[in-house]
Amino acid sequence: MASSDRRNQRALRSNYEIGSSFWAVRRAQWRAMGLSDEDMEKPKIAVINTSSELAICFNHLDHVAAVVKQAIRDAGGLPFEVRTAAPSDFIHSAGNAGKYILPSRDLITNDIEVQVEGAQLDGMVCLASCDKTAPGQLMAAARLDIPTIFAICGYQGSGHIGEEHVDIEEVFLGAGHHAMGAIPLERLKEMSEKAITSSGVCSGMGTANSMHTVCEALGMTLPGHAPVRASGGGMLDNAAEAGKRIVDMVWEDLRPRQILTEAAFENAVRSVFAVSGSINTIKHLQAVATEADTDIDVYGMYERLMDSSPVLVAVRPNGESSIEEFDDGGGARAVLKNLGALTRTEAMTVAGKTLGETLNGWEPPTDTVKTAEAPLSDKPAIVLVRGNLAPDTGIIKLGLRYDRKLKVTGPAVCFSNPIDAIEGLKAGKVKAGDVLVLRGLGVRGGPGMGMASRVVFAIEGAGLGEDVAVVTDGQLSGLVNKGLVVGEVTPEAHGGGPLGLVRDGDLITIDVLARRVDVDMDDAEMEARRAALPEVGHSGQRGWLSIYEGEVEPLSRGAVLIPPRD
């Protein structure tokens, strides 16, 4: 298509009337940067880069950005690299008890809005990497609704100690074992030295690879792009394809809200079940739906679809398949193909075709991803529960492990932070048959939603993984697949939620098959305890967490920072 025809098809929002004040000052700045008047007439594309030297998830992204920018130039566009925060769970959890992690997602979203919307750029290529970057970028795409495509920036290589495979999940679990004296420090050090062999996100089916799968299932990547090795040439080839495609998307005016439909969200939810993905996908997808100004209830969608969504692949830590085998077997594309009639093929994608059109005639190259007719399991990998302890929801990650205890009743042992819980474990305060309650970690109570994972792994390290259940309003790493854990309980304990009313010794029942989590307490006692709670005050946090505390919405809205519509 000739450039004049393209201009007739879509006017660029980044261009201003010649002679206007905006045109003049923008021209003065950009001419001084070496841009020509011809450049200024091209589609102006933001390349959203979370490059950082702080974490292995991001330290390769400058090279990816360079490839994307060149592809945009070659396709007739004008790229502008835009930097945002680059949070890594394993690095940024060190400060403030891990409370920066979830709020960093929304910082990314708002950072993108300021830079892209403020400059009125025409489109975006988002370099998706670690756990919070993909959801933050998806939220920005949904909010701004300008042509956007995702370039998946790959997973890291893992290593070996002799013949034994070791990756970041083993290190994380090993740290919990070491905390309980189950393995020596030298062993943990050796694991940490061998676990990671290249740049990229965690190699298991944690939140990062789950969200990369979600990006493709939503239609926001080109087909066959997730997952991908960060150390291989395929990632750069994909990035170049994305850079080329975004220019045509601008001329076509193909925008995220045309793609992020109910059908797309249903495909994303089905794909999470199929790969036994991270429970963090639920709040992130709800946040994207909220930012897209839709009425889609993602939590309700998970509940509605869970009993009819089979598990098709079991990537570590869910099973023995490696992420490389999933990649080589077709990845997200194979999942969407093999779900068969469960896939909403009418959903639009960034390719400018429906999902059905992109899948037509393509077959997975291996049988790593099973079919819906012959799945690994026909039981849900994730179960949403309710009850008087979680009136809104609680989430249990089961994966393929239906051989664990599915109904337990035990006395509560309550803790208000992970450190106290681990010290309580060491001191023998938690015994087989107990239900460990870890609370005060919700989005307001944190503020910022604290991480409960290390407590789960410490329980495992203490040899109590099969005998001590956990109920928490905190979040869990996507790599956690141990024990019986009810996570992200809502309402959270902060502000009078039922979890905050539980006392040591109260009997808690978790019944997976009945989809219930309850405390043996009648309504009158619950109200009496709520009335006796001290008035909730400000946490005393300053800076970004203070802003987050005052503005964050509940998990039912994805913990976004935008108020409900009137």
Side-chain angles (χ1 to χ4, degrees):
M1 184 183 295
S3 60
S4 59
D5 294 333
R6 284 172 164 174
R7 289 193 193 95
N8 290 334
Q9 193 169 355
R10 184 189 195 278
L12 299 180
R13 69 180 197 153
S14 57
N15 286 349
Y16 294 98
E17 183 180 351
I18 294 176
S20 70
S21 59
F22 280 121
W23 173 86
V25 294
R26 180 175 286 207
R27 182 173 185 273
Q29 292 230 357
W30 283 351
R31 289 284 292 186
M33 291 166 56
L35 302 181
S36 66
D37 285 342
E38 183 182 10
D39 287 331
M40 295 181 210
E41 294 182 359
K42 298 174 181 177
K44 298 165 187 66
I45 309 297
V47 178
I48 308 298
N49 184 4
T50 57
S51 175
S52 170
E53 294 182 347
L54 279 171
I56 198 77
C57 331
F58 308 116
N59 73 337
H60 63 304
L61 295 193
D62 285 344
H63 186 39
V64 182
V67 169
V68 171
K69 288 190 291 184
Q70 187 58 53
I72 291 170
R73 293 188 192 99
D74 292 344
L78 181 63
F80 290 96
E81 190 172 336
V82 171
R83 303 295 183 104
T84 74
S88 164
D89 287 21
F90 288 134
I91 300 297
H92 293 86
S93 287
N96 214 326
K99 295 173 183 177
Y100 285 114
I101 294 301
L102 183 59
S104 68
R105 180 198 71 176
D106 299 80
L107 187 61
I108 291 168
T109 304
N110 287 285
D111 202 355
I112 293 171
E113 178 192 344
V114 167
Q115 299 189 76
V116 175
E117 193 65 15
Q120 288 285 281
L121 302 183
D122 301 300
M124 297 192 294
V125 179
C126 295
L127 307 188
S129 191
C130 199
D131 294 25
K132 304 306 176 291
T133 60
Q137 291 162 351
L138 281 169
M139 290 162 64
R143 181 188 296 180
L144 302 187
D145 198 31
I146 63 171
T148 302
I149 193 169
F150 277 67
I152 304 302
C153 292
Y155 55 84
Q156 63 196 216
S158 52
H160 291 83
I161 299 175
E163 297 298 316
E164 180 186 354
H165 176 271
V166 59
D167 60 22
I168 191 65
E169 189 237 348
E170 269 99 9
V171 178
F172 198 8
L173 179 58
H177 284 205
H178 172 69
M180 302 309 298
I183 65 170
L185 179 59
E186 288 307 311
R187 171 65 175 173
L188 183 59
K189 287 173 65 177
E190 184 180 22
M191 292 167 65
S192 67
E193 289 163 4
K194 302 291 187 181
I196 302 173
T197 60
S198 77
S199 296
V201 303
C202 297
S203 59
M205 190 52 73
T207 303
N209 279 314
S210 297
M211 285 305 303
H212 293 176
T213 298
V214 160
C215 285
E216 183 159 342
L218 283 172
M220 294 298 289
T221 75
L222 290 171
H225 279 210
V228 66
R229 293 165 173 83
S231 57
M235 178 188 66
L236 297 180
D237 292 342
N238 292 353
E241 278 192 76
K244 178 182 178 182
R245 174 61 188 150
I246 189 61
V247 177
D248 281 335
M249 286 179 65
V250 170
W251 294 122
E252 295 164 12
D253 198 23
L254 179 55
R255 291 171 284 107
R257 293 189 186 183
Q258 297 166 269
I259 296 169
L260 298 173
T261 60
E262 183 175 7
F265 279 95
E266 188 169 308
N267 288 335
V269 171
R270 293 277 194 197
S271 73
V272 172
F273 282 118
V275 301
S276 188
S278 167
I279 69 171
N280 293 307
T281 57
I282 305 177
K283 61 177 175 287
H284 295 326
L285 279 168
Q286 184 63 69
V288 176
T290 303
E291 292 283 5
D293 201 25
T294 75
D295 293 321
I296 295 172
D297 175 10
V298 172
Y299 283 83
M301 189 176 282
Y302 269 82
E303 284 186 292
R304 176 169 58 84
L305 299 180
M306 63 184 174
D307 287 313
S308 62
S309 294
V311 180
L312 305 187
V313 63
V315 175
R316 294 167 55 85
N318 304 305
E320 293 307 311
S321 293
S322 67
I323 192 70
E324 289 86 357
E325 289 171 320
F326 180 48
D327 182 359
D328 294 341
R333 195 179 191 188
V335 167
L336 294 165
K337 179 74 173 184
N338 287 358
L339 280 168
L342 297 175
T343 298
R344 298 283 297 274
T345 55
E346 75 273 23
M348 181 54 65
T349 73
V350 293
K353 302 175 182 179
T354 66
L355 181 59
E357 290 171 321
T358 69
L359 294 174
N360 186 37
W362 180 85
E363 294 296 332
T366 76
D367 65 353
T368 299
V369 179
K370 308 306 179 185
T371 65
E373 294 74 27
L376 292 178
S377 173
D378 59 1
K379 297 180 176 65
I382 297 169
V383 171
L384 273 66
V385 296
R386 297 178 188 265
N388 72 347
L389 199 51
D392 291 344
T393 51
I395 310 171
I396 300 174
K397 171 73 176 290
L398 291 165
L400 298 174
R401 286 284 320 281
Y402 273 77
D403 57 341
R404 70 185 88 191
K405 294 177 181 177
L406 298 179
K407 182 176 181 179
V408 299
T409 297
V413 184
C414 303
F415 300 95
S416 296
N417 64 72
I419 293 174
D420 286 350
I422 292 172
E423 290 303 314
L425 274 166
K426 290 179 179 178
K429 295 180 180 178
V430 182
K431 300 177 178 62
D434 289 343
V435 177
L436 189 152
V437 173
L438 181 59
R439 59 195 180 191
L441 307 185
V443 291
R444 281 279 173 91
M449 205 166 200
M451 190 72 76
S453 306
R454 53 181 165 167
V455 175
V456 176
F457 283 160
I459 291 170
E460 190 76 15
L464 294 171
E466 298 297 320
D467 300 306
V468 172
V470 177
V471 181
T472 180
D473 54 8
Q475 66 179 334
L476 300 163
S477 165
L479 295 173
V480 172
N481 193 20
K482 300 290 184 182
L484 185 59
V485 183
V486 184
E488 302 198 0
V489 166
T490 56
E492 61 179 289
H494 178 83
L499 196 64
L501 308 178
V502 177
R503 296 173 182 169
D504 286 349
D506 288 341
L507 287 180
I508 292 175
T509 297
I510 303 167
D511 190 336
V512 173
L513 298 182
R515 312 290 195 247
R516 300 283 305 182
V517 56
D518 294 285
V519 59
D520 186 12
M521 187 190 317
D522 61 30
D523 292 345
E525 175 63 17
M526 198 169 277
E527 286 307 314
R529 291 189 189 185
R530 184 175 287 114
L533 290 174
E535 185 176 348
V536 176
H538 190 274
S539 67
Q541 293 283 349
R542 301 181 64 188
W544 174 237
L545 289 181
S546 177
I547 295 169
Y548 186 88
E549 180 181 9
E551 300 298 328
V552 67
E553 293 289 313
L555 285 177
S556 60
R557 300 194 71 242
V560 296
L561 302 185
I562 53 176
R565 291 175 289 171
D566 293 333

